Structure formats: C-alpha cells, structure tokens
Amino acid sequence: MEKKTENNRGKLNSIRKEIKRTQLILIITVTVLLTVGGAIININSNDKFLNQILRDTSDLITRLYLFIRDYSQEDLCKYMDSVVGELPDVDVISIVDKNNIRIYHTNHKLINTEYDGTHPDFAMHEKGFYVENDIGPSGPQRRSYSAIYTASGEYKGFIMTIRLKRSMMSASIRTVSLFVFVVIGAILMELAICTYIFKKIKREFLEFTEDFEGTKFLVDSMRANNHDFTNKLHVILGLIQIQEYDKAISYIQNISIIQRETISRIMNTVDNPSFAALLVGKIARASECNVKFVLKDGIHFDSNDIDVPSEALVTITGNLIDNALDAMNMERSFEKSKELTFGAFTRPGELLITVKDTGPGIPDELQQKIFENGFSTKGTGRGVGLYHTKQLIDSLGGTISLESQVGKGACFMVTLKKR
C-alpha cells in the first residue's frame, strides 16, 4: 500500500513538473515571438516614419532656402549649420544649384565642389520631392530630394536631406536592444510570477497529499476501531446473556465517554490531520493489544511552530509506538499493567515527541545497538524500524535518545528543531 502511494505521489509530482515545464516554455516562446514581431513592426514603422521626416525636413529646408538664398555663402553656411544642429533625425543636408555645384553641404569640404551623384528625376515625381536609397560620399544612405523653383517657376537646383545607413542601423540596434531588455525583463517577471504560483500550487498539492494521507490513516483507524468495538460488543453480549443489565449499561456508557473524550482531545490538540489520524488508529490498536494508551498532560502540536513533513511525523511516531506495543506484547506476565504514554509538544522552532512503555526495558549493553540496521531481539528479518527511524530523524537534523530500566520499561525521546 505504501509503495503504491509512493508511486502515485511520484506520478503526481512528474505531472506537476511537466505542466510547469510546458507552461514556462509556452510563456517564453510567446513572449519572444511577440517581442520579435513587435521589433519588426517597430523597425518598419520607423522606416516609414523616417521617410516622412526626410520629406518634411526637405520641404522645410526648401522653404527656408527661398528666404536665405541671397545670403553670402558664409552666412548661408552658418544659418544652415544651426538648422542641421536642431534636426536629430537628419545627418546631411546638401544644396545643389542648377549647374550641379554644391553651394552648401554639411561637410564643408564639399562646398563649391561638383555634385557627381545621382541626379533627381523630378519629371517622374510631380510633387517635386521624393525619397530613395543611394550611396554618397558618406556611404550608404536614405535621401530625400526636393526641387528648388523661383516664384516664376524657374528651376534653380535641388536640396537633399540625408539619413546615413549607419545611423539608421544604430537606431535599429537601440530599438532591438530595448525590445531585448523588455523581453528579458518580461521573462524574469513571468518566471518570478510562475515561481510564486507554483510554490502556492505545491503547498496546496502537499496539503492535498497530507489530507489524502490523513484520510488513509483514518480508514486504517476505523478498521482498528472495528476490531476493538467487536471485542467490546462481545463483552456487552455476554453481560446481557448473564442478565447483568446494569453492568452492561454502565460498560457502554463508560467506553463511549472514553472513546469520545480521547478522539476529541487529539483533534483539539493536534492540528495535523495525518498525525491525528495516526494517533487515533494507534490508540485503537493499543486497545486490541490490551495496552492502556495515555496522552501526556499538555500535549500540543501546532504545525505553525515547526515545518515537519506529515510523512516524517507518521513514520517516526508510528515506528516508535509499534516498537513499544511489540515490546509490551513480549511480556508474559499477566500481573504487570501494560501502559503506553505518548507526548507531542511544540513551540516556535521546536518539536518534542516522547513514547514511554512499561515493557521489559532495554539492557545497557544493547541500547547503542538497537539503532543498527538488522539488529533485533525479536528474530531474523526484523530490526529495520528503529534504524530507518533514526536515519529519518538524522536527515531532518534532529536527535533521538533513550532512557530505559530493565524490568520497568523504556522511553524514547525525539527532538526536532527548525533548520
């Protein structure tokens, strides 16, 4: 049964991990695709926006030039340099007269030199301006041509506003870098949110598992109680058959009160359902073994004080109680009372579990050996319960100690502290 439960738990953990991996892959994939798509759209939009800026700038420079065309070349250069300085999206402005001489260029070395580049074909563009890609003295570029006409319509030259490809590339790299930064930030945020959500899911999953384990132990407890009540029914039937009706009534009332008070006390002092269910079941088993199960005064278990896995609690406590019951069952004396005293106490960061029996006790020379793998005084094929119990306690950073007196019994004490 335990192996099947472990297998089911392993399958549930595998499913949970697979869901987590799948969701993370989907989140990252969708985020990257959206970012890449957004970057492409943004770059294309920037290209269209740049074309419009070049056209508008070219139109503006053309209008300005109509007012300053009579300036001396020195004043013209100063004025145009100041205009270029205020245009962050334009790298080069060149004004070429009708004789193909550069009367202004952002690179002053080219002023008064012959323009030998591509001549604009304004006949194909009735609006007098257009944008195209070309190669100039400064390298690959996108340029806008705008024709210059006098008030009478005479052609006087043209103006080029230019954005260099390297500047466009730098802008694209900045845009892509921004998107990469955003996508990394988004993925990190999504991972943080996913981690938080999965931790919450894991807590709920563990709570569900603990409730499931608690239900299993309750079923086991009901089975044990079924045997115990069968024995009690036999007593009641016997009392009725010998016509001891008053004793039968008193016996029924007594066992009902004891059973109800014991279960109520456990449920009120132990807030872990698996742990509480185990104790109820062990009390029933002790009754079957003719052992009085006593809860120590002040018993208190608050799972908020210390975080110990329910499975560990059940394994440690169950093994110690079973070991105590087995020890007392070995007793052949009918005069000696059999009593198991159990205690569990928590405070912030600490847990103490005690299991005391009135069995034969453990001799001093054997007290160090009982935790060894395979050691047992009950025959071959045993001796693993206390060994595994100590291994589990050690793995949790706790300690287990023993006090025993031959002929009077033994007491095991387990201490766990928050790590």
Side-chain angles (χ1 to χ4, degrees):
M1 181 67 180
E2 291 180 0
K3 186 175 181 180
K4 185 177 180 180
T5 301
E6 288 295 328
N7 290 337
N8 289 336
R9 186 178 298 169
K11 290 179 181 178
L12 288 173
N13 280 326
S14 298
I15 293 172
R16 180 176 60 82
K17 290 178 180 179
E18 187 62 31
I19 292 173
K20 182 178 180 180
R21 283 195 296 267
T22 303
Q23 188 167 359
L24 288 177
I25 291 171
L26 286 174
I27 288 173
I28 293 174
T29 302
V30 171
T31 303
V32 171
L33 289 176
L34 288 176
T35 302
V36 171
I40 294 173
I41 293 172
N42 185 272
I43 291 173
N44 289 334
S45 298
N46 286 343
D47 285 347
K48 293 179 180 179
F49 183 64
L50 177 60
N51 289 343
Q52 188 62 47
I53 288 177
L54 290 174
R55 288 175 184 152
D56 292 344
T57 304
S58 182
D59 181 63
L60 173 64
I61 298 300
T62 302
R63 294 176 185 274
L64 290 175
Y65 178 72
L66 294 177
F67 291 100
I68 63 172
R69 61 185 177 181
D70 294 329
Y71 282 17
S72 66
Q73 192 169 70
E74 181 180 357
D75 291 338
L76 176 67
C77 285
K78 289 181 180 180
Y79 183 83
M80 292 304 302
D81 286 345
S82 65
V83 171
V84 173
E86 298 297 325
L87 300 173
D89 295 316
V90 175
D91 295 315
V92 177
I93 291 179
S94 179
I95 303 176
V96 181
D97 65 16
K98 63 181 180 179
N99 298 317
N100 291 329
I101 301 299
R102 298 184 180 95
I103 59 177
Y104 173 78
H105 196 282
T106 306
N107 181 0
H108 290 183
K109 292 181 180 180
L110 296 177
I111 295 176
N112 293 326
T113 62
E114 183 179 359
Y115 172 73
D116 56 357
T118 303
H119 288 271
D121 184 5
F122 293 111
M124 297 291 295
H125 301 85
E126 296 180 356
K127 293 183 178 180
F129 61 86
Y130 64 96
V131 178
E132 68 175 11
N133 294 321
D134 207 336
I135 298 177
S138 302
Q141 54 196 239
R142 182 170 297 179
R143 56 175 64 169
S144 172
Y145 298 99
S146 180
I148 304 173
Y149 296 99
T150 63
S152 60
E154 180 185 356
Y155 176 74
K156 301 293 290 182
F158 61 92
I159 295 176
M160 290 189 298
T161 54
I162 299 170
R163 180 68 164 171
L164 299 177
K165 286 287 185 178
R166 60 173 179 266
S167 297
M168 295 168 61
M169 183 62 69
S170 297
S172 297
I173 291 174
R174 287 195 299 271
T175 300
V176 172
S177 299
L178 178 61
F179 273 87
V180 170
F181 176 78
V182 170
V183 73
I184 292 174
I187 290 175
L188 291 176
M189 185 176 296
E190 288 165 352
L191 290 176
I193 294 173
C194 283
T195 301
Y196 170 77
I197 292 174
F198 276 107
K199 282 183 178 179
K200 187 175 180 180
I201 291 174
K202 184 178 180 180
R203 285 196 299 269
E204 294 176 354
F205 172 78
L206 290 176
E207 289 175 2
F208 166 77
T209 303
E210 290 180 358
D211 290 341
F212 176 77
E213 291 294 329
T215 302
K216 183 172 74 72
F217 283 115
L218 281 174
V219 171
D220 293 339
S221 301
M222 290 172 67
R223 289 173 180 167
N225 276 310
N226 182 51
H227 292 290
D228 187 39
F229 278 115
T230 299
N231 294 332
K232 289 179 171 62
L233 286 174
H234 289 160
V235 174
I236 295 169
L237 179 61
L239 289 172
I240 292 174
Q241 286 177 340
I242 63 176
Q243 298 182 354
E244 293 287 350
Y245 303 117
D246 290 338
K247 289 183 179 180
I249 293 172
S250 177
Y251 181 77
I252 293 171
Q253 291 175 340
N254 185 49
I255 61 175
S256 297
I257 291 172
I258 293 174
Q259 187 77 5
R260 184 169 59 251
E261 288 180 349
T262 301
I263 294 176
S264 176
R265 187 178 177 193
I266 291 174
M267 300 307 293
N268 288 330
T269 56
V270 178
D271 69 351
N272 184 299
S274 299
F275 196 23
L278 173 75
L279 294 178
V280 172
K282 294 304 180 184
I283 289 173
R285 182 169 183 268
S287 179
E288 285 185 318
C289 298
N290 197 29
V291 174
K292 183 180 179 182
F293 197 109
V294 179
L295 295 174
K296 293 189 72 171
D297 292 336
I299 184 173
H300 170 76
F301 182 89
D302 187 347
S303 56
N304 292 321
D305 287 338
I306 187 167
D307 184 18
V308 180
S310 295
E311 185 177 351
L313 279 174
V314 168
T315 300
I316 294 169
T317 305
N319 285 344
L320 292 178
I321 291 176
D322 286 343
N323 189 68
L325 292 175
D326 289 344
M328 286 185 284
N329 283 335
M330 293 174 61
E331 288 278 82
R332 301 302 180 186
S333 174
F334 293 99
E335 296 179 358
K336 185 179 180 181
S337 64
K338 299 178 181 179
E339 185 173 290
L340 188 153
T341 305
F342 176 81
F345 310 92
T346 62
R347 63 183 181 182
E350 291 187 46
L351 165 64
L352 172 65
I353 296 175
T354 62
V355 179
K356 181 180 179 182
D357 65 65
T358 57
I362 303 172
D364 292 342
E365 63 272 15
L366 299 181
Q367 289 185 17
Q368 296 301 319
K369 296 182 178 181
I370 60 173
F371 296 112
E372 294 178 3
N373 188 18
F375 178 82
S376 176
T377 60
K378 305 170 187 176
T380 59
R382 308 191 66 171
V384 295
L386 286 176
Y387 168 76
H388 286 306
T389 300
K390 187 175 187 307
Q391 293 293 310
L392 178 57
I393 293 170
D394 290 342
S395 70
L396 295 172
T399 60
I400 181 171
S401 57
L402 164 66
E403 292 181 1
S404 181
Q405 187 174 355
V406 176
K408 291 189 176 182
C411 180
F412 287 87
M413 292 163 288
V414 176
T415 302
L416 297 174
K417 294 184 179 181
K418 185 176 182 180
R419 289 186 291 179

